[in-house]
Amino acid sequence: VLYVGALVKHSGPERDASWDSLRRTIARTIEGTFLDSQTCKVQHHIEAELLIVSGTDEEVKFVKEVIEALKEKAAREQQSSAPKP
């Protein structure tokens, strides 16, 4: 179970679009890495801002690494767009 609140919008019409984008990114990354995986499943809970990942140890570890990389990217983008004092 992974908290992804930093990666999605919290309200409004942009919330659904940000969840769709996150789901597509995760799905494409899994498909590209674990061709024809029958074990890796990713579910989400929008209100709790959680991704629920199941699969082999390798698949779950990989999805966690992807989420961490996306969080780092979001933090860098937020820092670069913050007003300078």
Side-chain angles (χ1 to χ4, degrees):
V1 177
L2 305 166
Y3 175 72
V4 294
L7 300 176
V8 293
K9 303 290 183 197
H10 300 285
S11 62
E14 296 163 339
R15 181 179 78 167
D16 291 342
S18 66
W19 274 100
D20 288 343
S21 176
L22 181 61
R23 283 193 302 262
R24 277 194 312 274
T25 298
I26 297 298
R28 288 179 181 154
T29 305
I30 290 169
E31 290 167 3
T33 305
F34 301 102
L35 303 174
D36 301 322
S37 173
Q38 300 297 309
T39 55
C40 192
K41 306 273 187 271
V42 179
Q43 299 172 306
H44 63 278
H45 190 285
I46 291 176
E47 288 79 21
E49 299 177 341
L50 298 175
L51 281 184
I52 300 94
V53 182
S54 61
T56 65
D57 288 345
E58 182 182 10
E59 291 166 336
V60 171
K61 179 182 176 202
F62 179 77
V63 172
K64 286 180 180 180
E65 290 171 354
V66 169
I67 294 297
E68 287 306 313
L70 290 172
K71 286 180 180 179
E72 289 175 19
K73 178 184 176 197
R76 279 194 311 273
E77 289 173 351
Q78 186 176 14
Q79 286 176 345
S80 67
S81 67
K84 304 290 185 225

